[in-house]
RNA sequence: GGGGACGUGGUGGAAUGGUAGACACAGCAGACUUAAAAUCUGCAGGCGAAAGCCGUCCGGGUUCGAGUCCCGGCGUCCCUACCA
């Protein structure tokens, strides 16, 4: 009996699949239902890691399963290829971003192909290819025509040394992550997409996504942050400041507490504050003080409330004689609502902190149920619960919600404002002052202003001849690229040198896969057939930005007629990370000296698992299980694992030990176990006598029946586990079945058992195929089946065989298991009752007590209540 | 501060309200071997010689029956954050 050698069989079968073109997606239609499986496409960083292996294996399990179930499956792969790491590499190593990116893609493609994924590589593309980003420019211009794209000034984090804009996460302690220079706030005119136009629809759409995790839907809902309230304007008590003749606009979700107002607050960068600062150095100094302080969590958390009375007053909307002071306050955000609030200290904690600090009045207007209006007071904790409104004239006695409605109605009647819905979501700034991205297809002409690049001049291609030896955007200093003539007037014009946020690239690639060579951005017919993606799989870290942008862009493309669906991903699955134990040198607990797993060996000491350096015997401490990272040195390289155990073992292991949505604990022992399964499974296939000797009319005996039942139960269980994304349970069943199979050795077996084994092994080969596809092919040949396992249909189970006909039911007395009875499935209650009461173990516990009740759950359990 | 998830052996985990701990890792014992590795077989929640008792973070509750449902704690992790 030959030992199974994955090194020999695996490349052979990948070549066979490739040669037969089995994963090239057939044309649309053809009678089969379609199924689109997509894993979030990778950034070509250089090498694949175990996270990729797990992610793409999960997608492949689904894709191969659906293929076998008779679906027309689309399972493509591409590259999210624009982005900063390429520019960083250019600056650090003098390589060109393009060369670096494509070299990485070549390397990673080879690695991914080694995983034996059922991917249609003919649809592959990279977002940095003009054939892709040129189409992106085309639809960007379409959105511009419909007004979804606009320009406005916005603040950015500016690194004065690198002369570049930084994302928030690149600002560390107020300094640029690379240069270490103190970051400045700068205002730049930038391009924005009106995602806020779709805020409501994006929230409503979440309700239709019943195959998305609740967690992700909730995160998106919170991110969009819809709140209903009242927007209104205070009238000035004195002369109106310039440009604010219509009053001071505020937004509130608690109009019911208007009679508890004690001040009005504005943000430090509110137009009124800026106006006052320009006129008064004291105000200017205060505003500057507010701006100091970092934006980190800790800074905000500990930041004290700061305020300054402007000396200006406004009139309370419900009482012309009531004047409220206007304060500048550091805790008010200019970007949310109107950048101004009315402060109600009794019922808002921030307002209360502020009022206590500056001795402003605190007037409760919501009385908690059961509290005495004469005695109720707010000390240092604002009351935000339910209750009845008091101290509030026309609202007195109302509950909170009716009071809100009453206040809004009154304000609207006065013509001072209206009920309004406000979102936390901001418009999407897509300009990036970088080279390695999709050029924004726009020109600036002195005479004509902003001019879109005409469609026939697309794509606007990135120039290759750029340098990274000096800081700043290479496009800006390129000698010729930006200088063009205006397509409208023929005069001199300049190109936009900003490129698009790479999230734009990943917001529509799933639609491009429907036909990656289409002349239009999207081949409508192909997209109509394939979209939405039936199963999207990726990391939960994309739960908000990527998935929200993709949902938005899909809607926008629908509105310009390029797509027919509003939701791109009908099903979403978010998989967990890959973790690994850490190891460090003994005695370095305070500042651990990490040791990589490759040099570690394990041994047992007093029944405990210990670690040491294999070469030297130096003792090591086994640390926590953490996300694989270079800094902790707890990574393992997929290529090493594949070389040692084979692809099938690696694939099997990454989906076997934890539920897919949870973090996965990589271990050497674990992958060895998966490798053992592969070779033991092969041994069972190999032990089966060739088909001819069994014969078809083998009949049946109790042994063969038992095996057949186990087989059909397995088919049912594995199918259900894949459908339900419980791969770990399905694989456990496969392991279990292999153990069962050992109880039915081929040697010396009856013809009936040999036949039952043949049925079992044929099914087993197909059931393991999504996980260990190479082994499945090898087994398929060994079993004498025709064709390839990859083309074999998923086995069907016989419901009659998948359920037991003889059952062993536990019998409980007062909830404790005391015995068991053997009954036929569906046995009559009276018979079961009699058997249960007669059981010896049960009898012991019924001595001296009276049976009060017997609960029989059909085919499940019997519980006897006695006392 | 707000929102969410989770808490089961030494470990990862399994269990439509119905026999808790499937399956695997680590461990232990045995077989094979001159020996080791590999492989195979077996044991294995705790206490107990056994019968049995106790066991799913803690405390209550619902139920014939709770890991699972409800209420109140504690703990861990994730997201979000001066969002009016």
């Amino acid at each position: 009996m030959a030992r199974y050698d994955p090194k020999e069989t695996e490349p052979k079968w990948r070549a066979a699949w490739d040669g037969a073109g089995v994963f090239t997606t057939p044309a649309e239609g053809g009678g089969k239902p379609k199924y689109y499986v997509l894993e979030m496409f990778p950034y070509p960083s250089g090498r694949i890691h175990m996270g990729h292996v797990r992610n793409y294996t999960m997608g492949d399990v689904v894709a191969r399963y659906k293929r076998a179930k008779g679906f027309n499956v689309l399972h493509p792969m591409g590259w999210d290829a624009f982005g900063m790491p390429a520019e960083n590499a250019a600056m650090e190593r003098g390589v060109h971003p393009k060369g670096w990116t494509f070299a990485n893609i070549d390397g990673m493609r080879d690695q991914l192909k080694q995983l034996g994924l059922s991917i249609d590589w003919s649809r592959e593309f990279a977002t940095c290819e003009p054939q892709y980003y040129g189409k992106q420019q085309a639809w960007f211009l379409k959105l511009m025509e419909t007004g979804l794209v606009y320009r406005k000034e916005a603040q950015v984090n500016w690194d004065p040394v690198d002369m570049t804009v930084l994302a928030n996460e690149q600002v560390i302690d107020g300094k640029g992550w690379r240069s270490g220079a103190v970051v400045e706030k700068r205002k730049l005119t930038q391009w924005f997409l009106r995602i806020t136009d779709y805020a409501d629809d994006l929230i409503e759409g979440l309700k239709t996504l019943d195959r998305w995790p609740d967690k992700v839907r909730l995160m998106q809902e919170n991110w969009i942050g819809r709140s209903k309230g009242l927007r209104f304007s205070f009238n000035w008590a004195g002369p109106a400041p310039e440009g604010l003749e219509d009053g001071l606009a505020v937004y509130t979700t608690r109009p019911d507490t208007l009679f508890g107002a004690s001040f009005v607050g504005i943000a430090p960068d509110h137009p009124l504050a800026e106006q006052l600062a320009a006129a008064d150095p004291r105000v200017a100094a205060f505003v500057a003080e507010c701006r100091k302080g970092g934006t980190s969590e800790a800074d905000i958390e500990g930041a004290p409330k700061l305020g300054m009375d402007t000396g200006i007053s406004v009139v309370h909307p419900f009482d012309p004689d009531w004047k409220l002071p206007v304060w500048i306050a550091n805790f008010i955000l200019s970007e949310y609502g109107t950048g101004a609030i009315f402060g109600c200290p009794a019922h808002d904690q921030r307002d209360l902190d502020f009022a206590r600090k500056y001795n402003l009045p605190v007037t409760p207007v919501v009385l908690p149920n059961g509290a005495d209006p004469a005695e109720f007071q707010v000390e240092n904790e604002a009351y935000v619960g339910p209750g009845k409104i008091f101290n509030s004239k026309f609202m007195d006695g109302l509950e909170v919600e009716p009071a809100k409605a009453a206040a809004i109605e009154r304000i609207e009647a006065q013509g001072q404002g209206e009920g309004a819905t406000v979102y936390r979501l901001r418009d999407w700034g897509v300009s990036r002052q970088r080279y390695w991205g999709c050029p924004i297809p726009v020109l600036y002409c002195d005479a004509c202003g902003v001019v879109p690049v005409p469609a026939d001049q697309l794509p606007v291609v990135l120039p290759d001849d750029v340098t990274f030896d000096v800081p700043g955007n290479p496009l800006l200093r390129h000698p010729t690229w930006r200088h063009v003539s205006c397509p409208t007037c023929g005069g001199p014009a300049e190109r936009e040198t900003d490129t698009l946020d790479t999230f734009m690239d990943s917001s529509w690639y799933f639609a491009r896969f429907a036909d990656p060579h289409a002349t239009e951005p999207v081949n409508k017919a192909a997209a109509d057939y394939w979209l939405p993606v039936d199963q999207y799989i990726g990391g939960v870290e994309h739960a908000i930005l990527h998935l929200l942008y993709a949902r938005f862009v899909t809607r926008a493309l629908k509105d310009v007629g390029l797509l027919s669906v509003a939701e791109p991903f009908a099903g979403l699955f978010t998989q967990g990370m890959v973790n690994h134990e850490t190891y460090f040198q003994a005695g370095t607990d305070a500042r651990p000296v990490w040791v990589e797993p490759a040099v570690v060996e394990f041994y047992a000491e007093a029944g405990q698992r210990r670690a040491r350096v294999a070469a030297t015997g130096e003792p090591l401490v086994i640390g926590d299980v953490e996300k694989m990272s270079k800094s902790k040195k707890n990574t393992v390289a997929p290529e090493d694992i594949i070389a040692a155990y084979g692809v099938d073992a690696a694939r099997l292991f990454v989906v076997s030990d934890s539920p897919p949505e949870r973090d996965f604990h990589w271990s050497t022992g674990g992958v060895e176990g998966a490798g053992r399964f592969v070779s033991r499974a092969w041994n069972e296939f190999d032990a089966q006598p060739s088909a001819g000797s069994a014969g078809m009319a083998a009949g049946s005996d109790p042994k063969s029946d038992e095996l057949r039942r186990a087989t059909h139960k397995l088919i049912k269980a594995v199918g259900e586990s894949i459908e339900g994304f419980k791969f770990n349970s399905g694989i456990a069943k496969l392991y279990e079945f292999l153990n069962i199979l050992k109880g039915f050795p081929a040697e010396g077996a009856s013809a009936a058992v040999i036949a039952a084994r043949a049925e079992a092994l044929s099914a087993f080969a197909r059931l393991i195929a999504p996980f260990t596809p190479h082994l499945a092919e090898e087994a398929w040949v060994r079993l004498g089946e025709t064709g390839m396992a990859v083309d074999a249909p998923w086995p069907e189970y016989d419901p009659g065989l998948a359920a037991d006909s003889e059952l062993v039911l536990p019998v409980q007395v007062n909830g404790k298991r005391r015995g068991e009875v053997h009954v036929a499935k569906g046995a009559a209650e009276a018979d079961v009752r009699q058997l249960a009461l007669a059981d010896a173990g049960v009898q012991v516990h019924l001595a001296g007590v009276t049976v009060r009740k017997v609960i029989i759950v059909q085919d499940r359990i019997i519980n006897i209540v006695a006392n």
Side-chain angles (χ1 to χ4, degrees), chain A residues 703-788:
Chain A
K703 278 290 258 189
S704 70
D705 279 352
E706 195 186 335
L707 180 54
R708 294 200 66 207
R709 286 190 184 282
T711 301
H712 287 258
K713 270 194 217 172
L714 179 74
I715 295 169
K716 182 167 189 279
V718 173
E720 285 170 357
S721 82
I722 294 176
E723 299 268 5
F725 263 85
K726 295 165 126 189
F727 307 139
N728 55 322
S729 297
I731 291 167
K733 291 278 193 285
L734 291 170
Y735 274 79
E736 203 176 358
F737 186 75
L738 193 57
N739 293 335
I740 290 171
L741 211 46
K742 270 188 267 178
F744 300 87
E747 207 169 321
S750 67
V753 167
I754 291 291
R757 269 183 61 94
E759 179 190 43
L761 290 169
S762 171
F764 193 62
R766 287 174 280 164
L767 296 178
I768 61 174
F771 308 103
T772 60
H774 309 83
L775 171 64
E777 295 293 355
E778 199 65 21
W780 202 243
V781 172
R782 178 63 188 76
L783 294 175
E785 303 275 6
T786 54
M788 283 196 280

Side-chain angles (χ1 to χ4, degrees), chain A residues 16-71:
Chain A
W17 296 326
D18 220 22
V22 289
F23 302 131
T24 306
T25 314
E28 294 88 58
K32 289 181 178 179
K34 70 96 183 178
Y35 198 89
Y36 186 177
V37 193
L38 184 66
E39 302 93 57
M40 291 180 186
F41 65 165
Y43 177 79
S45 54
R47 313 291 300 164
I48 67 166
H49 51 68
M50 275 303 167
H52 290 123
V53 175
R54 190 160 188 239
N55 189 200
Y56 297 122
T57 298
M58 286 180 190
D60 201 47
V61 167
V62 174
R64 285 176 176 271
Y65 170 74
K66 289 291 178 181
R67 260 179 67 85
K69 288 289 272 187
F71 286 84

